[in-house]
Amino acid sequence: MSGVTSVDGATAQPGPASTPTEPSGLPEPSGPTGPPPHLVAEPDRLTRFVTRLYARSPRWVVPLAAVGCVAAGIGYTLLSDPTRSAPDAVPSCLLKLTTGLDCPGCGGTRALWYVLHADIPAAARHHFLFVFALPFLAYLFVTWAGREAFGWRLPELRISPKMIGGFLGVWLAFSVARNLPWAPFTSLYV
């Protein structure tokens, strides 16, 4: 049992062999202290490496990496110009390619392109819920990154699980409604 650590950090010591006394074959706890501590395996090398790297890095590195990912996504959107694809171009969305249906995220890249060019009505036409959620997501990101990188204490949004469930329910209804073949739902096609 060497290399096995309990939850509280104590290393399990090999003890005298115990004999099973119950029909289940489990040994009875030894000693007056009660059941033995729960044992957890040591983390693997990669987990230890990432944990050490995270502990040694400055606190602004993770928010900076997240900003880099967001900037890469915005750069891709600006360079690719998703609004200028040919009418007979093959869709890049696997769901739309295989079924012909708009997925829950269809139109999001085009909506982002229009938001970046300050055309909010066109952005809302392509994905209304993305445009609605964008200010909230941006504020959540700024409060998290500011707290992690600089120690800022901005007012946090209180989002309950019921609100998240309600938003996901509306998103599901929107995803179904935009694929219905009757008017007025056909105006939601992208």
Coordinates of all heavy atoms in Angstrom, one line a residue, residues 17-81:
A17 N -2.0 -8.4 9.3 CA -3.0 -8.9 8.5 C -4.2 -9.2 9.3 O -4.2 -9.7 10.4 CB -2.5 -10.2 7.8
S18 N -5.4 -8.8 8.7 CA -6.6 -9.0 9.5 C -7.4 -10.1 8.7 O -7.2 -10.3 7.6 CB -7.5 -7.7 9.5 OG -7.8 -7.3 8.2
T19 N -8.2 -10.8 9.5 CA -8.9 -11.9 8.9 C -10.3 -11.5 8.7 O -10.9 -10.8 9.6 CB -8.9 -13.1 9.9 OG1 -9.4 -12.7 11.1 CG2 -7.5 -13.6 10.0
P20 N -11.0 -11.8 7.6 CA -12.3 -11.4 7.4 C -13.2 -12.1 8.4 O -13.1 -13.3 8.7 CB -12.7 -11.9 6.0 CG -11.4 -12.4 5.4 CD -10.4 -12.5 6.5
T21 N -14.2 -11.4 9.0 CA -15.1 -11.9 10.0 C -16.5 -11.9 9.5 O -17.4 -12.5 10.1 CB -15.0 -11.1 11.3 OG1 -15.2 -9.8 11.1 CG2 -13.6 -11.3 11.9
E22 N -16.8 -11.1 8.4 CA -18.1 -11.0 7.9 C -18.2 -11.9 6.7 O -17.2 -12.1 6.0 CB -18.5 -9.6 7.6 CG -18.5 -8.7 8.9 CD -18.9 -7.3 8.5 OE1 -19.5 -7.1 7.5 OE2 -18.7 -6.4 9.4
P23 N -19.4 -12.3 6.3 CA -19.6 -13.1 5.1 C -19.2 -12.3 3.8 O -18.9 -12.9 2.8 CB -21.0 -13.5 5.1 CG -21.6 -13.0 6.3 CD -20.6 -12.2 7.1
S24 N -19.2 -10.9 3.9 CA -18.9 -10.2 2.7 C -17.4 -10.2 2.3 O -17.0 -9.8 1.3 CB -19.3 -8.7 2.9 OG -18.5 -8.1 3.9
G25 N -16.5 -10.7 3.2 CA -15.1 -10.8 3.0 C -14.4 -9.5 3.3 O -13.2 -9.4 3.1
L26 N -15.0 -8.5 3.9 CA -14.4 -7.3 4.2 C -13.8 -7.4 5.6 O -14.4 -7.9 6.5 CB -15.4 -6.1 4.2 CG -16.0 -5.8 2.9 CD1 -17.0 -4.7 3.0 CD2 -14.9 -5.3 1.9
P27 N -12.6 -6.9 5.8 CA -12.0 -7.0 7.2 C -12.7 -6.0 8.1 O -13.2 -5.0 7.7 CB -10.5 -6.6 7.0 CG -10.5 -5.8 5.7 CD -11.7 -6.3 4.9
E28 N -12.7 -6.4 9.4 CA -13.3 -5.5 10.4 C -12.3 -4.4 10.7 O -11.1 -4.6 10.7 CB -13.6 -6.4 11.6 CG -14.7 -5.8 12.4 CD -15.1 -6.8 13.6 OE1 -15.6 -7.9 13.3 OE2 -14.8 -6.4 14.7
P29 N -12.8 -3.1 11.0 CA -11.9 -2.1 11.3 C -11.1 -2.4 12.6 O -11.6 -3.0 13.5 CB -12.8 -0.9 11.6 CG -14.2 -1.3 11.3 CD -14.2 -2.7 11.0
S30 N -9.8 -2.1 12.6 CA -9.0 -2.5 13.7 C -8.8 -1.3 14.6 O -8.7 -0.1 14.1 CB -7.6 -3.0 13.2 OG -7.0 -2.0 12.4
G31 N -8.8 -1.5 15.8 CA -8.5 -0.4 16.8 C -9.8 0.3 17.2 O -10.8 0.2 16.6
P32 N -9.6 1.1 18.3 CA -10.8 1.8 18.8 C -11.1 3.1 18.1 O -12.1 3.8 18.4 CB -10.3 2.1 20.3 CG -8.8 2.3 20.1 CD -8.4 1.3 19.1
T33 N -10.3 3.5 17.1 CA -10.5 4.8 16.4 C -11.6 4.7 15.3 O -12.0 5.7 14.8 CB -9.3 5.2 15.7 OG1 -8.9 4.3 14.7 CG2 -8.2 5.5 16.7
G34 N -12.1 3.5 15.0 CA -13.2 3.4 14.0 C -12.7 2.9 12.7 O -11.7 2.3 12.6
P35 N -13.5 3.2 11.7 CA -13.1 2.7 10.4 C -11.8 3.3 9.8 O -11.4 4.5 10.2 CB -14.3 3.1 9.5 CG -14.9 4.3 10.2 CD -14.7 4.1 11.6
P36 N -11.1 2.6 9.0 CA -9.9 3.2 8.4 C -10.2 4.4 7.5 O -11.3 4.5 7.0 CB -9.3 2.0 7.6 CG -10.4 1.2 7.3 CD -11.4 1.3 8.4
P37 N -9.2 5.3 7.4 CA -9.4 6.5 6.6 C -9.6 6.1 5.1 O -9.1 5.1 4.6 CB -8.2 7.3 6.7 CG -7.1 6.4 7.2 CD -7.8 5.3 7.9
H38 N -10.4 6.9 4.4 CA -10.6 6.7 3.0 C -9.2 6.9 2.2 O -8.5 7.9 2.5 CB -11.6 7.6 2.4 CG -13.0 7.4 3.0 ND1 -13.7 6.3 2.6 CD2 -13.7 8.1 3.9 CE1 -14.9 6.4 3.3 NE2 -14.9 7.5 4.1
L39 N -8.9 6.0 1.4 CA -7.6 6.1 0.7 C -7.9 6.6 -0.7 O -8.8 6.2 -1.4 CB -7.0 4.7 0.7 CG -6.7 4.1 2.0 CD1 -6.1 2.7 1.9 CD2 -5.8 5.0 2.8
V40 N -7.0 7.5 -1.2 CA -7.1 8.0 -2.6 C -5.7 7.8 -3.2 O -4.7 7.8 -2.6 CB -7.4 9.5 -2.6 CG1 -8.8 9.7 -2.2 CG2 -6.5 10.3 -1.8
A41 N -5.7 7.5 -4.5 CA -4.5 7.3 -5.2 C -3.7 8.6 -5.4 O -4.3 9.7 -5.4 CB -4.8 6.6 -6.6
E42 N -2.4 8.5 -5.5 CA -1.6 9.6 -5.8 C -1.9 10.1 -7.2 O -2.2 9.4 -8.1 CB -0.1 9.2 -5.8 CG 0.4 8.8 -4.4 CD 1.0 10.0 -3.7 OE1 1.4 11.0 -4.3 OE2 1.0 9.9 -2.5
P43 N -1.8 11.5 -7.4 CA -2.1 12.0 -8.8 C -0.9 11.5 -9.8 O 0.2 11.3 -9.3 CB -2.0 13.5 -8.6 CG -1.5 13.7 -7.3 CD -1.6 12.5 -6.5
D44 N -1.3 11.4 -11.0 CA -0.3 11.0 -12.0 C 0.7 12.1 -12.3 O 0.6 13.2 -11.8 CB -1.0 10.5 -13.3 CG -1.8 11.7 -13.9 OD1 -2.7 12.1 -13.3 OD2 -1.4 12.1 -15.0
R45 N 1.7 11.8 -13.1 CA 2.8 12.8 -13.4 C 2.3 14.1 -14.0 O 2.7 15.2 -13.7 CB 3.9 12.1 -14.2 CG 4.6 11.0 -13.5 CD 5.6 10.4 -14.4 NE 6.8 11.2 -14.4 CZ 7.8 11.0 -15.3 NH1 7.7 10.1 -16.2 NH2 8.8 11.8 -15.2
L46 N 1.4 13.9 -15.0 CA 0.9 15.1 -15.7 C 0.1 16.0 -14.7 O 0.3 17.2 -14.7 CB 0.0 14.7 -16.9 CG -0.6 15.8 -17.7 CD1 0.5 16.7 -18.3 CD2 -1.6 15.3 -18.7
T47 N -0.7 15.4 -13.9 CA -1.5 16.2 -12.9 C -0.6 16.9 -12.0 O -0.8 18.1 -11.6 CB -2.5 15.3 -12.2 OG1 -3.3 14.6 -13.1 CG2 -3.3 16.1 -11.2
R48 N 0.5 16.2 -11.5 CA 1.4 16.9 -10.6 C 2.1 18.0 -11.3 O 2.4 19.1 -10.7 CB 2.4 15.8 -10.0 CG 1.8 14.9 -9.1 CD 2.9 14.0 -8.3 NE 3.9 13.4 -9.2 CZ 3.8 12.2 -9.6 NH1 2.8 11.4 -9.2 NH2 4.8 11.7 -10.4
F49 N 2.5 17.8 -12.6 CA 3.2 18.8 -13.3 C 2.3 20.1 -13.5 O 2.8 21.2 -13.2 CB 3.6 18.3 -14.7 CG 4.2 19.4 -15.6 CD1 5.4 19.9 -15.4 CD2 3.4 19.8 -16.7 CE1 5.9 20.9 -16.2 CE2 3.9 20.8 -17.5 CZ 5.2 21.4 -17.3
V50 N 1.1 19.9 -13.9 CA 0.2 21.0 -14.1 C -0.1 21.7 -12.8 O -0.1 22.9 -12.7 CB -1.1 20.5 -14.8 CG1 -2.2 21.6 -14.7 CG2 -0.9 20.0 -16.2
T51 N -0.2 20.9 -11.7 CA -0.5 21.6 -10.4 C 0.7 22.4 -9.9 O 0.5 23.5 -9.5 CB -0.8 20.5 -9.3 OG1 -1.9 19.7 -9.8 CG2 -1.1 21.1 -8.0
R52 N 1.9 21.9 -10.1 CA 3.1 22.7 -9.8 C 3.2 23.9 -10.6 O 3.6 25.0 -10.2 CB 4.4 21.8 -9.9 CG 4.6 20.9 -8.8 CD 6.1 20.3 -8.8 NE 6.5 19.8 -10.1 CZ 6.4 18.6 -10.5 NH1 5.8 17.7 -9.7 NH2 6.8 18.2 -11.7
L53 N 3.0 23.7 -11.9 CA 3.1 24.9 -12.9 C 2.1 25.9 -12.5 O 2.4 27.1 -12.5 CB 2.8 24.4 -14.3 CG 3.0 25.4 -15.4 CD1 4.5 25.8 -15.5 CD2 2.6 24.8 -16.7
Y54 N 0.9 25.5 -12.2 CA -0.2 26.5 -11.8 C 0.2 27.2 -10.4 O 0.0 28.4 -10.3 CB -1.5 25.8 -11.6 CG -2.6 26.7 -11.2 CD1 -3.2 27.6 -12.1 CD2 -3.1 26.7 -9.9 CE1 -4.2 28.5 -11.7 CE2 -4.1 27.6 -9.5 CZ -4.7 28.4 -10.4 OH -5.7 29.3 -10.0
A55 N 0.8 26.5 -9.5 CA 1.1 27.0 -8.2 C 2.3 28.0 -8.4 O 2.4 29.0 -7.6 CB 1.5 25.9 -7.2
R56 N 3.2 27.8 -9.3 CA 4.4 28.7 -9.5 C 4.1 29.8 -10.4 O 4.9 30.8 -10.4 CB 5.5 27.8 -10.0 CG 6.0 26.8 -9.1 CD 7.1 26.0 -9.7 NE 7.6 25.0 -8.7 CZ 8.4 24.0 -9.1 NH1 8.9 24.0 -10.3 NH2 8.7 23.1 -8.2
S57 N 3.1 29.8 -11.2 CA 2.9 30.9 -12.2 C 2.2 32.1 -11.5 O 1.5 31.9 -10.5 CB 2.0 30.4 -13.3 OG 0.7 30.0 -12.8
P58 N 2.5 33.3 -12.1 CA 1.8 34.4 -11.5 C 0.3 34.3 -11.7 O -0.2 33.6 -12.6 CB 2.3 35.6 -12.4 CG 3.5 35.0 -13.1 CD 3.4 33.6 -13.1
R59 N -0.5 35.0 -10.9 CA -1.9 34.9 -11.0 C -2.6 35.5 -12.2 O -3.7 35.2 -12.5 CB -2.6 35.5 -9.7 CG -2.4 37.0 -9.6 CD -3.0 37.4 -8.3 NE -3.2 38.9 -8.3 CZ -3.7 39.5 -7.3 NH1 -4.0 38.9 -6.2 NH2 -3.9 40.8 -7.4
W60 N -1.9 36.3 -13.0 CA -2.4 36.9 -14.2 C -2.3 36.0 -15.4 O -2.8 36.3 -16.5 CB -1.8 38.2 -14.5 CG -0.3 38.2 -14.5 CD1 0.5 38.5 -13.4 CD2 0.6 37.8 -15.5 NE1 1.8 38.4 -13.8 CE2 1.9 38.0 -15.1 CE3 0.4 37.4 -16.8 CZ2 3.0 37.7 -15.8 CZ3 1.5 37.1 -17.6 CH2 2.8 37.3 -17.1
V61 N -1.6 34.8 -15.3 CA -1.3 34.0 -16.5 C -2.6 33.4 -17.0 O -2.9 33.4 -18.2 CB -0.3 32.9 -16.2 CG1 -0.2 31.9 -17.2 CG2 1.1 33.6 -15.9
V62 N -3.4 32.8 -16.2 CA -4.7 32.1 -16.6 C -5.6 33.1 -17.3 O -6.1 32.8 -18.4 CB -5.3 31.3 -15.5 CG1 -6.6 30.8 -15.9 CG2 -4.4 30.2 -15.0
P63 N -5.9 34.3 -16.7 CA -6.8 35.2 -17.4 C -6.2 35.7 -18.7 O -6.9 35.9 -19.7 CB -6.9 36.4 -16.4 CG -6.7 35.8 -15.1 CD -5.7 34.7 -15.3
L64 N -4.9 35.9 -18.7 CA -4.2 36.3 -20.0 C -4.4 35.2 -21.1 O -4.7 35.5 -22.2 CB -2.7 36.6 -19.8 CG -2.0 37.1 -21.0 CD1 -2.5 38.4 -21.4 CD2 -0.5 37.2 -20.7
A65 N -4.3 33.9 -20.7 CA -4.5 32.8 -21.6 C -5.9 32.8 -22.1 O -6.2 32.6 -23.3 CB -4.1 31.5 -21.0
A66 N -6.9 33.1 -21.2 CA -8.3 33.1 -21.6 C -8.5 34.3 -22.6 O -9.3 34.2 -23.6 CB -9.2 33.2 -20.4
V67 N -7.9 35.5 -22.3 CA -8.1 36.6 -23.2 C -7.5 36.3 -24.6 O -8.0 36.6 -25.6 CB -7.4 37.9 -22.6 CG1 -7.2 38.9 -23.6 CG2 -8.2 38.4 -21.4
G68 N -6.3 35.5 -24.6 CA -5.7 35.1 -25.8 C -6.7 34.2 -26.6 O -6.8 34.3 -27.9
C69 N -7.4 33.3 -26.0 CA -8.3 32.4 -26.7 C -9.5 33.2 -27.2 O -9.9 33.0 -28.4 CB -8.8 31.3 -25.7 SG -7.6 30.1 -25.2
V70 N -10.0 34.2 -26.5 CA -11.1 35.0 -26.9 C -10.6 35.8 -28.1 O -11.3 36.0 -29.1 CB -11.7 35.9 -25.8 CG1 -12.6 36.9 -26.3 CG2 -12.4 35.0 -24.8
A71 N -9.4 36.4 -28.0 CA -8.9 37.2 -29.1 C -8.7 36.4 -30.4 O -8.9 36.8 -31.5 CB -7.6 37.9 -28.7
A72 N -8.2 35.1 -30.2 CA -8.1 34.2 -31.4 C -9.4 34.0 -32.0 O -9.5 34.0 -33.3 CB -7.4 32.9 -30.9
G73 N -10.5 33.7 -31.2 CA -11.8 33.5 -31.8 C -12.3 34.8 -32.5 O -12.9 34.7 -33.6
I74 N -12.1 35.9 -31.9 CA -12.5 37.2 -32.6 C -11.7 37.4 -33.9 O -12.2 37.8 -34.9 CB -12.4 38.4 -31.6 CG1 -13.5 38.3 -30.5 CG2 -12.5 39.7 -32.4 CD1 -13.3 39.3 -29.4
G75 N -10.4 37.1 -33.8 CA -9.6 37.3 -35.0 C -10.0 36.4 -36.1 O -10.1 36.8 -37.3
Y76 N -10.3 35.1 -35.8 CA -10.8 34.2 -36.8 C -12.1 34.7 -37.4 O -12.2 34.6 -38.6 CB -11.0 32.8 -36.2 CG -11.8 31.9 -37.1 CD1 -11.1 31.3 -38.1 CD2 -13.1 31.6 -36.9 CE1 -11.8 30.4 -39.0 CE2 -13.8 30.8 -37.7 CZ -13.2 30.2 -38.8 OH -13.9 29.4 -39.6
T77 N -13.0 35.2 -36.6 CA -14.2 35.7 -37.1 C -14.0 36.8 -38.0 O -14.7 36.9 -39.1 CB -15.2 36.1 -35.9 OG1 -15.3 34.9 -35.1 CG2 -16.5 36.5 -36.4
L78 N -13.2 37.8 -37.7 CA -12.9 38.9 -38.5 C -12.2 38.5 -39.8 O -12.5 39.1 -40.9 CB -12.1 40.0 -37.7 CG -12.8 40.7 -36.6 CD1 -11.9 41.5 -35.8 CD2 -14.0 41.5 -37.2
L79 N -11.3 37.6 -39.8 CA -10.6 37.2 -41.0 C -11.4 36.4 -41.9 O -11.3 36.5 -43.1 CB -9.3 36.5 -40.6 CG -8.2 37.3 -39.9 CD1 -7.0 36.5 -39.5 CD2 -7.7 38.4 -40.9
S80 N -12.2 35.5 -41.4 CA -13.0 34.6 -42.2 C -14.2 35.2 -42.8 O -14.7 34.7 -43.9 CB -13.4 33.3 -41.4 OG -14.3 33.7 -40.5
D81 N -14.8 36.2 -42.2 CA -16.0 36.9 -42.7 C -17.0 35.9 -43.1 O -17.3 35.6 -44.2 CB -15.7 37.8 -43.9 CG -16.9 38.7 -44.2 OD1 -17.9 38.6 -43.5 OD2 -16.8 39.4 -45.2

